[in-house]
Amino acid sequence: MASSMLSLASTSPSSSLSLSDNWKVKTKIGGFGNAFVKTKSFGRTTMAVALNVSRFEGITMAPPDPILGVSEAFRADTNDLKLNLGVGAYRTEELQPYVLNVVKKAENLMLERGENKEYLPIEGLAAFNNVTAQLLFGADNPVIQQGKVATVQGLSGTGSLRLAAALIERYFPGAKVLISSPTWGNHKNIFNDARVPWSEYRYYDPKTVGLDFNGMIDDIKAAPEGSFILLHGCAHNPTGIDPTLEQWEKIADVIQEKNHIPFFDVAYQGFASGSLDEDAASVRLFAARGMELLVAQSYSKNLGLYAERIGAINVVCSSSDAAARVKSQLKRIARPMYSNPPVHGARIVANIVGDPALFKEWKDEMELMAGRIKGVRQKLFNSLSAKDKSGKDWSFILKQIGMFSFTGLNKSQSDNMTNKWHVYMTKDGRISLAGLSLAKCEYLADAIIDSYHNVS
Ligand code: PLA
């Protein structure tokens, strides 16, 4: 793990050729031509110079992203049976992308109002920042009433996590972030890129296909005092296994005892249970204890605003004064990275959450989406149970929540799903049920049974 964090500053072979060396190369032979010029010696650099060899020669090909790379492979497959269960993106029963009606209404309103395209402030749209914190904590939550939350609009969940990671790196040097094993693949990238050390706490128990609660508690206890503990607010990705409310209380006890700082990633509020409030219960339980905490939010899934890149980072502080200072520093981190965030998604969220009629429509539509996912989850379980004569218990699928199911298939079995059955999924055995239709459940069950029993 440590090596993966320290490997960032590698030197490429071409880095020994300085800018001035290159300048000399160009001037000596009269600018860019198409001929290769062999073995020239210029001061400290002696090398074969080929003018049409790229200056980026030392850059090697990066591997495809384990999640988004699956969609690329899916697009390249021409088989009619293909099914994309890789990325967590909601599809209709017809397996088409879905733009919420309430989003279209909000966009129409925005057009009618003829809103401008001026820069937003660095911290984002004020109306958005207000409603997003209210949605998360509840409008009457004392942390909001007392101005203890620093909220900054971010580039969706990922960008918001990245801002928080930069804040940790800058103001808590050496502090460790503990992430669950397993977790969403990009968490490790985010902390690596921000140069924040991380380690894992136990979370998933393959034997029970459930939560390793004791392992989790022990590892959080064993972490150096004052660590950041990254928690999935609801619908844990990739396992679909969440702690119960009682377990959340115990997790909060240990975090408080050890003076750790909870750091929630809330990417699925409303998408897990269909209720915005229920899915925020974990975060609110921690806030009610008066703890300082960080929460990254995303509207990719619950409002289907994937490409609008809309989310926020919230830092709950013990005083409004501290919150104001934290917010000022988050802005300072954002300014050189992307200056200020995009306005479109922020306006959509602000319009929907700020209008009682649209808000109700959103909740109804979200229930529909969450309901469709629960429907395919049930049908997949039924199909697996009916078709698999081995006596294997598939009920873990029904116990998992959110848009994913963690099938327990290993890498070779997942490869078989893709290579033989054209079912695209991540290699950790995760399938996105949001990309599955009722009509495809039987086919998927056949693929899973074949891969599980016939591939080791
Ligand atoms: N946090 C978690 C736990 C997530 O699962 C995701 C998205 C995000 C944050 C960030 O999403 P955002 O930046 O779009 O707001 N995970 C997806 C997509 C749905 C992805 O990997 O980017 C997934 O398939 O896991």
Side-chain angles (χ1 to χ4, degrees):
M1 190 271 295
S3 66
S4 67
M5 289 183 305
L6 295 171
S7 65
L8 292 159
S10 69
T11 357
S12 67
S14 61
S15 64
S16 60
L17 183 65
S18 72
L19 258 185
S20 63
D21 291 332
N22 280 288
W23 173 242
K24 282 179 214 158
V25 172
K26 268 184 258 156
T27 47
K28 276 239 166 183
I29 49 149
F32 290 100
N34 53 13
F36 282 81
V37 178
K38 284 190 191 132
T39 326
K40 295 253 170 188
S41 177
F42 301 109
R44 64 192 169 86
T45 311
T46 302
M47 61 185 296
V49 179
L51 283 187
N52 51 3
V53 167
S54 171
R55 303 276 287 278
F56 305 102
E57 207 53 47
I59 297 180
T60 56
M61 185 62 83
D65 182 80
I67 298 176
L68 299 185
V70 174
S71 299
E72 288 167 29
F74 173 80
R75 278 191 285 273
D77 187 336
T78 51
N79 193 294
D80 287 342
L81 291 170
K82 68 177 180 175
L83 196 54
N84 188 2
L85 308 183
V87 68
Y90 184 82
R91 295 284 179 270
T92 61
E93 178 60 25
E94 294 71 40
L95 298 183
Q96 293 306 308
Y98 179 59
V99 180
L100 276 72
N101 289 322
V102 72
V103 167
K104 289 183 192 155
K105 282 191 184 172
E107 285 180 320
N108 281 334
L109 270 177
M110 285 154 58
L111 262 184
E112 277 166 26
R113 288 182 195 148
E115 286 175 298
N116 64 41
K117 303 285 185 193
E118 290 286 290
Y119 286 132
L120 282 183
I122 303 170
E123 72 265 36
L125 187 73
F128 166 79
N129 285 344
N130 287 337
V131 298
T132 197
Q134 288 173 9
L135 203 70
L136 183 63
F137 297 105
D140 50 2
N141 196 309
V143 294
I144 291 197
Q145 309 259 314
Q146 295 160 13
K148 290 179 178 171
V149 192
T151 303
V152 168
Q153 183 185 329
L155 303 180
S156 209
T158 307
S160 305
L161 288 161
R162 185 64 180 76
L163 280 179
L167 186 82
I168 292 172
E169 191 270 336
R170 203 166 282 189
Y171 291 99
F172 299 84
K176 215 180 196 187
V177 174
L178 261 80
I179 58 181
S180 62
S181 172
T183 192
W184 175 48
N186 214 19
H187 280 149
K188 293 177 184 175
N189 297 333
I190 289 169
F191 295 112
N192 281 343
D193 269 14
R195 292 161 198 257
V196 172
W198 54 266
S199 64
E200 296 180 315
Y201 60 82
R202 278 168 283 173
Y203 191 82
Y204 173 72
D205 183 352
K207 278 193 242 83
T208 60
V209 199
L211 180 65
D212 180 358
F213 183 65
N214 293 333
M216 178 182 186
I217 291 288
D218 288 349
D219 290 347
I220 293 175
K221 260 189 199 159
E225 191 149 329
S227 296
F228 288 81
I229 313 295
L230 190 76
L231 303 158
H232 298 223
C234 64
H236 182 272
N237 179 4
T239 66
I241 302 159
D242 285 350
T244 62
L245 276 180
E246 279 152 27
Q247 288 172 329
W248 276 123
E249 292 282 6
K250 292 199 178 115
I251 294 164
D253 285 343
V254 187
I255 289 180
Q256 251 175 332
E257 268 165 37
K258 290 287 316 235
N259 269 320
H260 295 324
I261 302 177
F263 179 177
F264 279 94
D265 181 358
V266 177
Y268 300 96
Q269 191 183 354
F271 224 78
S273 67
S275 153
L276 285 163
D277 290 325
E278 225 175 277
D279 290 350
S282 55
V283 170
R284 292 179 190 176
L285 177 155
F286 278 67
R289 289 176 171 230
M291 296 167 80
E292 298 194 297
L293 61 141
L294 288 81
V295 192
Q297 286 173 286
S298 162
Y299 289 92
S300 291
K301 272 68 71 173
N302 55 10
L303 258 176
L305 293 177
Y306 308 92
E308 297 297 351
R309 312 310 295 144
I310 178 67
I313 180 71
N314 302 268
V315 185
V316 179
C317 304
S318 57
S319 69
S320 59
D321 189 47
R325 284 182 276 115
V326 167
K327 187 167 179 166
S328 74
Q329 293 297 342
L330 285 169
K331 287 165 62 177
R332 195 175 176 197
I333 292 167
R335 170 69 167 145
M337 276 210 271
Y338 56 83
S339 193
N340 49 75
V343 73
H344 192 73
R347 280 201 186 119
I348 294 172
V349 176
N351 277 311
I352 292 173
V353 184
D355 177 285
L358 292 182
F359 189 43
K360 181 177 180 313
E361 260 191 77
W362 177 31
K363 289 198 276 193
D364 292 345
E365 255 182 302
M366 197 151 41
E367 258 176 59
L368 271 177
M369 290 191 289
R372 197 190 82 71
I373 296 173
K374 285 181 195 161
V376 289
R377 192 182 277 288
Q378 182 69 49
K379 173 124 193 240
L380 177 63
F381 165 75
N382 294 348
S383 308
L384 283 166
S385 305
K387 285 169 179 278
D388 184 8
K389 306 296 179 206
S390 74
K392 179 177 164 59
D393 180 9
W394 293 98
S395 63
F396 65 88
I397 290 181
L398 294 181
K399 291 183 199 131
Q400 299 169 343
I401 64 162
M403 69 198 321
F404 299 111
S405 179
F406 205 48
T407 60
L409 295 177
N410 62 30
K411 185 177 175 303
S412 321
Q413 293 165 336
S414 303
D415 282 341
N416 185 65
M417 296 283 287
T418 305
N419 299 340
K420 178 167 169 192
W421 295 86
H422 305 274
V423 174
Y424 288 78
M425 58 188 286
T426 53
K427 300 298 172 216
D428 56 359
R430 184 190 87 168
I431 54 175
S432 167
L433 297 177
L436 179 63
S437 61
L438 289 171
K440 292 274 190 179
C441 282
E442 303 245 336
Y443 177 78
L444 180 62
D446 288 335
I448 293 176
I449 291 167
D450 172 55
S451 306
Y452 182 76
H453 292 296
N454 302 329
V455 181
S456 60

